[in-house]
Amino acid sequence: MENHNETDAVNASEALHSGSPAPPPILEVRGLTKSFFGVPVLEDAHLSLHRGQVHGLVGENGAGKSTLMKVLAGVYQPDAGTVLLDGQEVTFSHPTKAHEAGLSSVFQEFNLLPDRTVAENIYLGREPRRGLLVNKTLMNSQTAELLDSLGIAAIRPSTQVRSLTVAEQQVVEIAKAVSYDARIISMDEPTAALAGAEVGLLYEIVARLRERGTAILYVSHRLREVFDLCDVITVLKDGKVVSTLPASKLDDAQLVRLMVGRPISAFFPDKLPREDLTPDGPEEKPILELQGAGNGQLDGISLSIQPGEIVGLAGLQGSGRTELLHGIFGAAPFTRGTMKMAGGELLPKSPRQGVRARMALITEDRKAEGLSLNQSILDNALSVIRSVFPRRTGAVRTEIPGVFSSLEVIARDLDQEVQYLSGGNQQKVVLAKWLAIRPLLVLLDEPTRGIDVGAKVAVYRLMRQLAAEGKAILMASSELPEVIGMSDRILVMRDGRLVGELPAGTSEEAILQLGTGARTAPEGEA
């Protein structure tokens, strides 16, 4: 029997690349409009999805991407407009209605029960039964077949979700969506929490779903993924569709300009002149010096960072980048070697000691480690000062509005709970919290993960300004264009050791060669 989904997928793909008319869309959005408290977040949005097509949806935070996805998922009801499924108008009053129609969504925040098995999570609320009892044997076998159809051999149906990696949990979320016999799957930032090596697994799953004729709406801030995976790209800005074009007709620079209204050259701002230098001033000492530093995860770390310098820290996942930042800050103290801050001996044994030495650590996971989500913006911004420098709280409180203004934080007021801010604005609150201590050394761990391009530019501008003020910055990032675009020099790690130093503007290939061990640093380079 002919598989119509696969046939349609081939026809759509051929039509896309040949310029001939494509088959009718499986899903069509016309004039979709949605407001909250009188503020429009979607205005006259339109979109078409075809079988076997990966359709990218991009835009800055607040552009309306998540709202559009939640309307399609039945979470929100539109104020106006229509949704057509196979040419017939549909309304989804509840997510279960969307599932029944074959439309599933995978949201950025996982919705899994950690103490239940993979199979129990996938079939939660619709478990196969034998009489009044759950038929676990059948449920496990169905789950095994489902995972096998997606090419996933490493995950067992009986495994507790708690023991899975973040990437494996993301796979379970996707498998759960597919289990509803989904013809359309919406994916919201599916790789936001994944390391570079884990992203390949998602690529394979998307390819298999495309081959089966599944239509995919793919939302991501990572432009490389969008171009790698998507056939068509729709750009949203301020709740309106700016453009829908084949991915082959766009490049990075064009897409960024459509999203944020400025060229990609503004992505990585130029280095600013130092503001704190005087012609006859004394010779500067390094702000940070390590010699032979190590602990249970690191060994033989020697480096120095000068005032006004941005040093990039590159390496594969597990290379020791985060561990190095934690060691410097005192969160995972060094047990050997020496460390100096601004010329003075220091080996912090706790984060409090790191803060007192005027170090700031912007952690990789802002929600779990950087913010108290149910507290106000102001309380978050004052949290470090209150804890470590309580006498300065009053003075900092008067400065905070100016700090938020300079960071262009978009919020109702300072009493708004942080959980209701966009990812980019949450990251700016984290930065403001640490700026309050007036740090000498700023340790950044994945500073732009999961935020839109506009917010990234704001973070980069802040980094340039801090460097101009004479602060030292050590930035760990898995985004190699970010490392190359912002660093004065680049340190590369592998297996808990520094394995090389590369100059500004070096190539991604050179970084990866050192990071993977494909080549070693020349004598004296590391």
Side-chain angles (χ1 to χ4, degrees):
M1 180 182 293
E2 184 180 28
N3 185 323
H4 292 289
N5 277 357
E6 291 188 7
T7 302
D8 285 344
V10 171
N11 291 342
S13 179
E14 290 177 350
L16 182 69
H17 296 292
S18 68
S20 59
I26 184 174
L27 178 76
E28 195 170 0
V29 171
R30 296 179 182 173
L32 213 60
T33 299
K34 180 67 178 176
S35 297
F36 293 103
F37 306 108
V39 179
V41 291
L42 272 181
E43 295 185 69
D44 194 31
H46 50 275
L47 187 78
S48 294
L49 274 175
H50 290 82
R51 291 176 176 84
Q53 182 188 74
V54 182
H55 193 127
L57 186 63
V58 301
E60 295 186 88
N61 284 338
K65 306 183 302 294
S66 293
T67 301
L68 176 56
M69 283 189 63
K70 288 178 179 178
V71 169
L72 294 178
V75 177
Y76 297 152
Q77 305 307 307
D79 300 329
T82 57
V83 177
L84 303 176
L85 189 62
D86 286 326
Q88 301 296 314
E89 185 174 342
V90 294
T91 57
F92 303 133
S93 58
H94 191 273
T96 57
K97 299 296 183 183
H99 287 149
E100 290 168 2
L103 198 158
S104 292
S105 298
V106 179
F107 293 107
Q108 186 173 350
E109 303 296 335
F110 294 166
N111 189 28
L112 300 172
L113 299 177
D115 294 319
R116 296 204 182 183
T117 69
V118 170
E120 288 169 340
N121 270 278
I122 288 176
Y123 288 99
L124 184 67
R126 52 199 177 96
E127 299 88 347
R129 294 185 176 273
R130 182 187 294 122
L132 296 176
L133 301 177
V134 173
N135 189 338
K136 290 189 175 182
T137 301
L138 178 59
M139 185 168 64
N140 284 338
S141 67
Q142 289 177 341
T143 301
E145 290 176 11
L146 177 63
L147 294 172
D148 183 64
S149 72
L150 294 173
I152 308 301
I155 301 176
R156 297 173 59 85
S158 58
T159 301
Q160 258 196 357
V161 163
R162 183 182 298 282
S163 66
L164 299 179
T165 66
V166 173
E168 289 170 336
Q169 290 182 41
Q170 184 67 274
V171 169
V172 174
E173 286 280 17
I174 295 171
K176 184 176 180 179
V178 174
S179 73
Y180 287 94
D181 294 326
R183 296 180 292 159
I184 303 160
I185 297 180
S186 298
M187 298 184 181
D188 187 9
E189 297 287 352
T191 64
L194 305 189
E198 298 171 325
V199 173
L201 181 60
L202 182 91
Y203 275 38
E204 293 173 10
I205 293 174
V206 169
R208 283 179 176 265
L209 291 172
R210 173 192 265 142
E211 289 170 4
R212 291 166 52 164
T214 306
I216 298 174
L217 183 62
Y218 193 90
V219 178
S220 180
H221 290 311
R222 294 181 173 180
L223 300 190
R224 177 176 295 179
E225 286 175 20
V226 173
F227 282 109
D228 283 350
L229 296 175
C230 298
D231 304 301
V232 177
I233 301 172
T234 289
V235 180
L236 278 175
K237 183 173 175 60
D238 300 326
K240 300 175 183 177
V241 172
V242 174
S243 176
T244 297
L245 290 167
S248 59
K249 301 293 185 183
L250 290 166
D251 59 27
D252 285 16
Q254 293 167 322
L255 188 55
V256 169
R257 186 180 287 275
L258 287 170
M259 291 167 65
V260 302
R262 55 179 171 264
I264 198 168
S265 58
F267 236 51
F268 303 113
D270 293 334
K271 190 172 182 177
L272 300 174
R274 287 279 298 278
E275 299 173 357
D276 61 325
L277 290 180
T278 56
D280 300 321
E283 182 179 347
E284 291 189 301
K285 295 180 179 179
I287 284 186
L288 175 70
E289 293 179 272
L290 293 179
Q291 189 66 43
N295 55 26
Q297 298 165 303
L298 303 166
D299 187 43
I301 304 292
S302 298
L303 61 85
S304 67
I305 306 177
Q306 295 293 129
E309 195 176 28
I310 299 176
V311 176
L313 194 59
L316 300 179
Q317 188 75 10
S319 61
R321 295 171 308 179
T322 295
E323 290 78 7
L324 176 54
L325 299 186
H326 286 185
I328 294 168
F329 190 63
F334 294 125
T335 55
R336 55 188 178 275
T338 62
M339 175 173 158
K340 292 182 180 180
M341 269 287 290
E345 295 283 347
L346 174 73
L347 206 61
K349 299 299 183 183
S350 69
R352 180 177 289 270
Q353 290 184 9
V355 174
R356 287 195 175 278
R358 293 177 64 189
M359 296 186 213
L361 173 62
I362 287 78
T363 53
E364 180 178 11
D365 189 339
R366 60 179 169 270
K367 291 187 176 180
E369 301 174 335
L371 295 167
S372 297
L373 294 175
N374 61 349
Q375 293 188 10
S376 71
I377 294 171
L378 181 60
D379 284 336
N380 273 276
L382 295 174
S383 59
V384 177
I385 283 290
R386 283 172 172 164
S387 175
V388 184
F389 304 109
R391 292 183 180 179
R392 290 178 47 197
T393 301
V396 171
R397 185 191 295 270
T398 63
E399 298 170 0
I400 284 296
V403 173
F404 282 123
S405 177
S406 67
L407 290 173
E408 300 178 355
V409 175
I410 299 173
R412 186 186 67 242
D413 54 46
L414 295 183
D415 291 328
Q416 184 175 357
E417 289 185 16
V418 166
Q419 63 182 315
Y420 298 118
L421 300 181
S422 68
N425 284 303
Q426 288 180 350
Q427 186 72 335
K428 291 175 184 178
V429 173
V430 174
L431 292 166
K433 174 181 78 171
W434 288 108
L435 290 178
I437 73 165
R438 297 178 182 170
L440 292 174
L441 173 66
V442 181
L443 307 170
L444 298 168
D445 196 358
E446 303 289 356
T448 65
R449 172 167 287 177
I451 64 177
D452 66 75
V453 289
K456 285 184 179 182
V457 172
V459 172
Y460 298 150
R461 286 176 179 163
L462 174 64
M463 291 172 63
R464 289 292 190 215
Q465 182 58 42
L466 291 173
E469 295 170 2
K471 311 294 191 290
I473 297 174
L474 181 59
M475 175 187 69
S477 176
S478 55
E479 300 284 340
L480 292 185
E482 179 172 85
V483 173
I484 295 166
M486 289 300 298
S487 302
D488 297 310
R489 54 192 173 92
I490 299 164
L491 303 177
V492 184
M493 295 195 70
R494 185 175 71 247
D495 298 331
R497 301 181 66 93
L498 287 175
V499 293
E501 178 180 319
L502 297 168
T506 194
S507 68
E508 291 188 29
E509 181 182 6
I511 295 172
L512 288 171
Q513 284 179 335
L514 276 179
T516 60
R519 84 170 178 92
T520 56
E523 187 71 26
E525 191 174 295

